[in-house]
Amino acid sequence: MGKIIAIANQKGGVGKTTTAINLAASLAALEYKTLLVDGDPQANSTSGLGLNPKEIETSIYECMVDGVEASKTIIKTNINYLELLPAHIDLAGAEIELVSLEEREVRMQRALKPVKDQYDFIIIDCNPSLGLITVNALTASDSVLIPVQCEYFALEGIAQLMNTIKIVKEGLNPSMEIEGVLLTMYDQRVRLCNMVVEEVRNYFHELVFDTIIPRNIKLSESPSFGLPVIAHDAESKGAISYLNLANEILERNKLSINA
């Protein structure tokens, strides 16, 4: 049975989509069948894998609101072992439409359940808010990975996110765990970055991944080519870092490296 990991932090610009795309691609590179779910109305995970969101006919929106089967919506990518459940701009309206629907917090869970066993991992890219779509993602997930950027306001809003996770865990998804906290946008030359690393490790302790994602030009430019960084430049620091993260997740889940 596949493990569902939500990538969540209501703070924007912390590397959620970058992490979702590149973690999913790295797990696929290690020959674990992976599904990336684009749960952000900006559809950056969709465009980041080379698809035009404006040309997407059915998406996670239709799965959640209209009950369209996920299996009819999933798209194969150019990366072996990696498939995509895309998003388009209509997802922005789902926050409003879900309010009036029955069992509104479990619509994503219901959509993913029939395909969960077909994958080793399902990675959900959450939108930068704590609204109904993110609650759906957390309810559908086995665990949540929290990206935290190595900048001044790194821990800003984390308490609110942790409270949301607690509420979802108590009321909707008691088995959900925190997969880990990922430090992103690290620059070893900047003293503040090193201070933030220490602060985050003191706050989250063993939940923090050993892997730290650096600021990296190849990592930043790869979405413009519609590619994960491992396909854009496999020898870049960004690609190596996300492969290390994938290996660390496999290790935490007591899984072997296939490739």
Side-chain angles (χ1 to χ4, degrees):
M1 179 178 288
K3 181 169 192 179
I4 303 179
I5 303 175
I7 314 295
N9 189 333
Q10 82 275 19
K11 195 175 189 308
V14 300
K16 279 190 304 296
T17 298
T18 298
T19 295
I21 292 172
N22 291 293
L23 173 58
S26 295
L27 289 167
L30 296 171
E31 298 185 0
Y32 281 87
K33 190 171 183 186
T34 305
L35 175 66
L36 175 58
V37 179
D38 193 345
D40 187 344
Q42 297 176 82
N44 288 336
S45 281
T46 300
S47 59
L49 287 178
L51 289 106
N52 184 348
K54 294 179 180 177
E55 296 175 357
I56 298 296
E57 294 183 2
T58 56
S59 70
I60 185 64
Y61 166 85
E62 281 78 16
C63 295
M64 292 173 66
V65 175
D66 300 327
V68 173
E69 293 178 24
S71 59
K72 296 180 179 178
T73 306
I74 291 167
I75 298 171
K76 291 187 181 298
T77 73
N78 293 324
I79 309 295
N80 289 335
Y81 296 95
L82 179 61
E83 296 181 347
L84 172 71
L85 182 48
H88 55 53
I89 192 63
D90 285 357
L91 188 59
E95 289 282 356
I96 298 170
E97 294 182 58
L98 285 169
V99 171
S100 61
L101 297 179
E102 292 183 4
E103 299 183 312
R104 60 190 182 185
E105 298 93 351
V106 298
R107 308 288 288 200
M108 188 180 293
Q109 181 186 62
R110 188 182 297 167
L112 295 178
K113 187 176 181 180
V115 300
K116 185 176 181 181
D117 290 348
Q118 298 172 26
Y119 299 94
D120 298 305
F121 288 96
I122 297 176
I123 307 297
I124 306 175
D125 181 17
C126 297
N127 62 333
S129 77
L130 295 178
L132 266 175
I133 299 174
T134 298
V135 169
N136 263 267
L138 294 174
T139 303
S141 297
D142 298 301
S143 65
V144 55
L145 187 156
I146 305 168
V148 177
Q149 83 283 26
C150 296
E151 294 179 358
Y152 184 70
F153 293 112
L155 294 176
E156 185 183 61
I158 289 292
Q160 188 180 358
L161 173 63
M162 298 302 288
N163 188 53
T164 299
I165 290 171
K166 180 183 177 183
I167 291 169
V168 171
K169 189 174 172 66
E170 289 177 350
L172 295 164
N173 187 5
S175 62
M176 181 181 61
E177 303 292 343
I178 295 178
E179 187 71 29
V181 176
L182 177 67
L183 288 155
T184 63
M185 304 180 189
Y186 175 70
D187 186 340
Q188 63 180 1
R189 301 166 299 178
V190 179
R191 182 168 173 263
L192 175 62
C193 283
N194 294 298
M195 292 171 63
V196 169
V197 169
E198 184 178 352
E199 185 179 12
V200 172
R201 290 196 187 281
N202 287 337
Y203 188 89
F204 287 105
H205 305 290
E206 71 280 354
L207 285 175
V208 182
F209 289 105
D210 293 332
T211 302
I212 298 177
I213 308 301
R215 288 193 178 275
N216 179 250
I217 292 172
K218 296 297 183 181
L219 194 56
S220 298
E221 70 184 18
S222 60
S224 66
F225 292 91
L227 294 169
V229 69
I230 197 169
H232 179 52
D233 186 345
E235 296 182 356
S236 67
K237 287 183 178 180
I240 293 168
S241 296
Y242 274 108
L243 269 175
N244 289 340
L245 174 64
N247 282 324
E248 204 172 337
I249 286 175
L250 294 179
E251 186 178 337
R252 286 190 179 196
N253 287 277
K254 297 179 173 57
L255 296 169
S256 62
I257 300 171
N258 294 337

